[in-house]
Amino acid sequence: HLEECGKAFSNMQSFMQKEKGSYTGWELEGLVRERIITVARRLDPPPAVPEEVERYMAHGQSAIKMAKKPEDFLKAVAEFDKALGLTPWLANAYFNRGVALEKAGLAEQALLNFKWYLAAAPDAPDAKEVKMRIYQLEYVAQQKNTLAQSWVGLWEFGPVSWTQQCTELLGNTTLSGTFALRIDSISPSG
């Protein structure tokens, strides 16, 4: 069965070369992952998971447990990437990668991984909870995009107390001195 997945991967590489200009990198990666997952789900029995992948999964889970700061979760992401590099159909790797990305504050990437998890395991017992998590992450990503667009608006409005405008955008959040200074230092008035 690994031979069939290998053929599917080769076909996907040909497809990627042919369609390179038609899609963004993320879109193309999504198409490739979805097609590999579809092929792997059709196989009976499903492809075996090599011990090396199990090791990467254990490393990733340990990295999640050890993480203290959002950026620490990226170590877990790297381990799950290794697992997915060898078994791009492995549902649990997508789920765990999604958890690590979410904890790292990368909502858009996390929700993609949770979607790939559901594509690989549509009948998973936690499918409903994962769908709710995706919806929540969509909202978080939308709010981050809205905030990013607001930052662009700050530049357009000029230097009318940038710190004050940021505080209004962020609510009662206290801006750190470095952050406030950085905003003031890029204002159009100098």
Side-chain angles (χ1 to χ4, degrees):
H1 293 292
L2 288 176
E3 186 178 306
E4 288 183 49
C5 285
K7 287 179 186 176
F9 186 72
S10 293
N11 290 341
M12 290 312 309
Q13 286 179 322
S14 299
F15 171 78
M16 287 172 60
Q17 289 301 321
K18 190 171 72 175
E19 299 293 330
K20 199 183 253 184
S22 304
Y23 301 96
T24 66
W26 282 103
E27 291 170 332
L28 196 53
E29 179 183 350
L31 287 172
V32 170
R33 288 187 186 276
E34 288 170 14
R35 289 192 181 182
I36 290 173
I37 288 167
T38 300
V39 169
R41 287 194 66 237
R42 289 184 192 149
L43 300 177
D44 187 24
V49 176
E51 186 174 337
E52 185 178 7
V53 171
E54 291 175 9
R55 182 176 292 114
Y56 292 139
M57 293 295 291
H59 290 177
Q61 290 164 351
S62 293
I64 286 176
K65 289 177 186 173
M66 294 172 60
K68 304 268 189 269
K69 305 175 289 203
E71 57 269 15
D72 293 344
F73 289 98
L74 297 178
K75 292 176 184 173
V77 171
E79 293 300 321
F80 297 129
D81 283 347
K82 291 175 191 175
L84 287 165
L86 296 173
T87 54
W89 60 83
L90 190 60
N92 287 340
Y94 287 113
F95 180 85
N96 290 333
R97 190 171 187 267
V99 169
L101 287 163
E102 182 179 11
K103 290 179 181 273
L106 302 169
E108 287 183 66
Q109 292 92 331
L111 74 88
L112 278 175
N113 279 270
F114 289 127
K115 286 180 179 180
W116 291 328
Y117 166 71
L118 290 177
D123 300 324
D126 62 349
K128 186 172 182 173
E129 291 84 13
V130 173
K131 285 179 187 177
M132 290 304 295
R133 197 172 196 165
I134 289 169
Y135 301 149
Q136 292 166 353
L137 287 167
E138 286 172 344
Y139 179 79
V140 169
Q142 178 188 24
Q143 294 306 304
K144 284 184 178 183
N145 287 336
T146 300
L147 183 60
Q149 291 170 357
S150 298
W151 291 116
V152 171
L154 287 177
W155 182 267
E156 292 169 357
F157 287 122
V160 180
S161 179
W162 281 55
T163 304
Q164 178 186 351
Q165 290 181 36
C166 291
T167 304
E168 289 172 9
L169 273 174
L170 298 172
N172 292 328
T173 305
T174 304
L175 296 174
S176 70
T178 305
F179 187 68
L181 287 174
R182 176 69 184 135
I183 291 171
D184 288 337
S185 71
I186 61 170
S187 68
S189 65

